[in-house]
Amino acid sequence: MSMPQALRQMPAQAGRAGAARGETACEPASDEACDPRHEPSDTGNPHATLLHAAFTRENLQRALKRVRANKGAAGVDGLDIDQTAKHLITAWPAIREQLMAGTYRPSPVQRVLISKPEGGERELGIPTVTDRLIQQALLQVLQPILDPTFSEHSYGFRPGRRAHDAVLAAQAHVQSGRRIVVDVDLEKFFDRVNHDILIDRLSKRIPDAGVIRLIRAYLNSGIMSDGVVQERYQGTPQGGPLSPLLANVMLDEVDKELERRGHCFVRYADDANVYVRSRRAGERVMELLRSLYGKLKLRINEAKSAVANVFGRKFLGYSFWLARDGTVKRSVAAKPLATFKQRIRQLTRRSGGRSMQQVVDRLRPYLLGWKVYFGLAQTPTVWRGLDEGLRHRLRAIQLKQWRRGKTIYRELRVLGATAGVARKVAANSRRWWRNSAMLLNSVLTIAWFDRMGLPRLS
């Protein structure tokens, strides 16, 4: 049975209420965390019906579509989406009753470690499908209220905003003459979010006791590693739908202070760049940020953060360069460019035993995704070089697959090569790399790769 069918079979929720509309005023946040034992009251509160709105059938169906589209692994209960559907047919009425009464206890998240390209590991916390569904339903009600209160200089995980928008805003600041950047990276931000401070900031924006209670339950749900549940007193592990929204709630007061002081900055999640005109001004801003983040019990990663010339730093995978006419332009930063080349080598290993069409089919999703993200780069020469290098490599692979001179001659003739060209290429059958950059270009042409479906970067 599909999840939509399961939702249709769930009992209708009593007392449905429409989602609350409008914006929540952003009150000045204190530096003290509120006592977690004191929850805001629902009396006279326009947001008191948020839980009802979150768990209407219509909102749950929307949440389900998003959870299914995001795919993802099973949580600690081992149930995938289809298995969760069958479970919720009978379990949902009791779960909803617990949610509305404030007695629901989320399952611990499953700890997963993934390697970072630059070294080290990032911790993810994978909730069960049931908890992902509940979090997504809650997100769909909270985001329209919270998002309009965030700084216009914040771009991460917000509707209608992308990393590209952040890069373009950063470029505009540099073009305006601010060539010194205060590049701040927070040390293990998602692992070190203080729960009491986060709940304090959230309560001032969403004074709904039921919502706050449920979010605190998720924060305190624990994390399972090697079969053992560990209690958690800080952090919002990446992996749940609510985590990015809570991160923006936590960091917004730093954004607002930078705005109040008139600084030009761009923030994407926990990466923030402030653009100034002098190194001395940059050092002052860095000290300010240390103080502001310190009040949130967050630490700046000093090894990755710096006050430096903007042309020597990267932001969201991009770097900037100065054209002869003084225009600031965008390029792919050196590290992601090196990662791209390494990944291409992995995907086109010549000992893979695959046909050329299989190699191209394997490359296509990676190339298309990379092109979409780095399409803002204003470096046509670099794009052409990457295209030429990739085709050169693929031609060498094709020669190695044909191997023998007789086979090379026959296949080239089939592809329309003249007898002279085919003979010369076949005569150097063992010099695959050198051979692939000469006469072979006139047979295995760009159009030939186009017909195979190889995307062009340039």
Side-chain angles (χ1 to χ4, degrees):
M1 176 179 294
S2 68
M3 183 74 93
Q5 290 174 324
L7 285 174
R8 286 195 292 271
Q9 291 193 20
M10 290 179 188
Q13 290 80 6
R16 291 184 185 172
R21 303 191 179 193
E23 299 184 7
T24 305
C26 179
E27 301 178 15
S30 71
D31 296 326
E32 300 289 334
C34 70
D35 186 333
R37 293 171 296 179
H38 298 295
E39 303 289 1
S41 170
D42 287 344
T43 306
N45 173 16
H47 299 301
T49 60
L50 285 178
L51 283 183
H52 292 277
F55 302 127
T56 61
R57 182 174 295 165
E58 293 80 1
N59 194 55
L60 285 168
Q61 287 173 337
R62 285 177 52 219
L64 165 67
K65 290 181 181 179
R66 176 66 63 169
V67 170
R68 186 178 288 280
N70 290 341
K71 300 179 181 179
V76 296
D77 61 359
L79 300 180
D80 62 20
I81 292 180
D82 292 331
Q83 291 168 328
T84 301
K86 295 179 181 178
H87 169 69
L88 288 180
I89 293 173
T90 55
W92 179 251
I95 292 174
R96 185 179 186 279
E97 184 176 346
Q98 293 169 9
L99 286 165
M100 302 310 297
T103 59
Y104 178 74
R105 293 296 174 262
S107 300
V109 297
Q110 179 68 56
R111 184 171 185 249
V112 177
L113 296 177
I114 59 174
S115 299
K116 295 182 180 180
E118 64 273 14
E121 292 179 318
R122 175 180 288 112
E123 181 180 292
L124 298 183
I126 308 301
T128 64
V129 175
T130 297
D131 283 325
R132 294 208 296 271
L133 179 66
I134 293 170
Q135 286 193 37
Q136 181 63 39
L138 194 58
L139 175 69
Q140 291 168 182
V141 172
L142 294 181
Q143 196 161 51
I145 298 170
L146 292 173
D147 192 78
T149 70
F150 294 149
S151 167
E152 64 178 282
H153 303 286
S154 166
Y155 293 87
F157 310 112
R158 298 184 60 187
R161 292 180 169 230
R162 307 178 301 160
H164 283 181
D165 299 322
V167 172
L168 291 173
Q171 181 184 18
H173 293 321
V174 179
Q175 186 65 63
S176 70
R178 294 171 173 84
R179 303 295 167 83
I180 300 297
V181 61
V182 183
D183 186 352
V184 174
D185 181 87
L186 292 177
E187 188 174 286
K188 296 184 178 180
F189 166 70
F190 286 94
D191 299 335
R192 291 182 173 167
V193 170
N194 183 281
H195 291 178
D196 289 344
I197 294 177
L198 174 57
I199 290 297
D200 174 53
R201 296 340 187 230
L202 189 62
S203 298
K204 292 174 179 177
R205 296 167 185 254
I206 302 290
D208 183 315
V211 169
I212 299 302
R213 192 180 298 116
L214 179 56
I215 290 177
R216 181 174 279 282
Y218 274 113
L219 293 174
N220 295 336
S221 61
I223 187 164
M224 180 175 285
S225 178
D226 298 324
V228 178
V229 177
Q230 303 169 359
E231 293 187 9
R232 193 173 65 204
Y233 302 101
Q234 63 179 2
T236 61
Q238 300 176 74
L242 277 175
S243 184
L245 181 67
L246 298 179
N248 279 330
V249 170
M250 187 74 167
L251 296 175
D252 186 61
E253 71 179 62
V254 177
D255 297 343
K256 294 295 173 55
E257 181 60 22
L258 290 174
E259 282 183 353
R260 189 183 71 81
R261 292 170 179 255
H263 288 298
C264 294
F265 70 98
V266 179
R267 181 175 67 79
Y268 192 94
D270 56 334
D271 290 329
N273 277 10
V274 185
Y275 298 91
V276 296
R277 297 183 186 275
S278 71
R279 191 172 294 272
R280 179 176 295 180
E283 296 294 348
R284 288 197 299 268
V285 171
M286 180 65 85
E287 284 303 314
L288 170 66
L289 290 174
R290 287 193 184 100
S291 173
L292 293 175
Y293 287 128
K295 291 176 182 178
L296 297 176
K297 299 188 183 302
L298 298 171
R299 291 205 301 264
I300 290 177
N301 187 330
E302 300 292 347
K304 294 184 177 180
S305 304
V307 177
N309 189 298
V310 72
F311 298 116
R313 306 294 293 183
K314 66 181 178 70
F315 181 56
L316 300 179
Y318 283 87
S319 59
F320 299 112
W321 60 284
L322 196 61
R324 290 182 179 179
D325 62 357
T327 303
V328 175
K329 295 194 174 183
R330 306 173 296 271
S331 64
V332 182
K335 185 173 288 186
L337 195 59
T339 301
F340 171 82
K341 294 177 181 178
Q342 180 182 9
R343 183 59 178 155
I344 291 299
R345 287 192 292 270
Q346 293 172 347
L347 292 172
T348 58
R349 286 192 298 267
R350 281 178 269 180
S351 59
R354 296 178 298 272
S355 70
M356 179 55 61
Q357 187 62 62
Q358 289 174 321
V359 173
V360 170
D361 290 344
R362 194 178 182 194
L363 280 169
R364 188 182 301 113
Y366 180 72
L367 290 172
L368 289 174
W370 204 82
K371 182 178 181 179
V372 167
Y373 184 77
F374 288 107
L376 281 182
Q378 298 168 295
T379 50
T381 303
V382 173
W383 291 118
R384 284 195 299 270
L386 292 175
D387 274 337
E388 291 167 2
L390 176 57
R391 289 192 293 267
H392 187 168
R393 185 172 180 84
L394 293 178
R395 291 185 184 108
I397 292 171
Q398 183 64 85
L399 284 180
K400 186 175 182 181
Q401 289 175 347
W402 288 335
R403 298 188 70 84
R404 298 173 57 200
K406 289 182 179 180
T407 304
I408 293 174
Y409 179 85
R410 183 183 68 246
E411 295 295 337
L412 290 179
R413 291 289 285 157
V414 169
L415 290 172
T418 65
V421 169
R423 190 178 301 111
K424 289 180 181 179
V425 174
N428 294 297
S429 59
R430 291 293 178 179
R431 306 177 75 174
W432 300 307
W433 186 253
R434 182 181 177 186
N435 225 357
S436 63
M438 298 163 56
L439 291 173
L440 195 59
N441 291 15
S442 64
V443 184
L444 304 185
T445 61
I446 296 176
W448 183 74
F449 285 111
D450 289 343
R451 289 192 294 273
M452 298 193 78
L454 182 70
R456 297 191 200 184
L457 297 175
S458 57

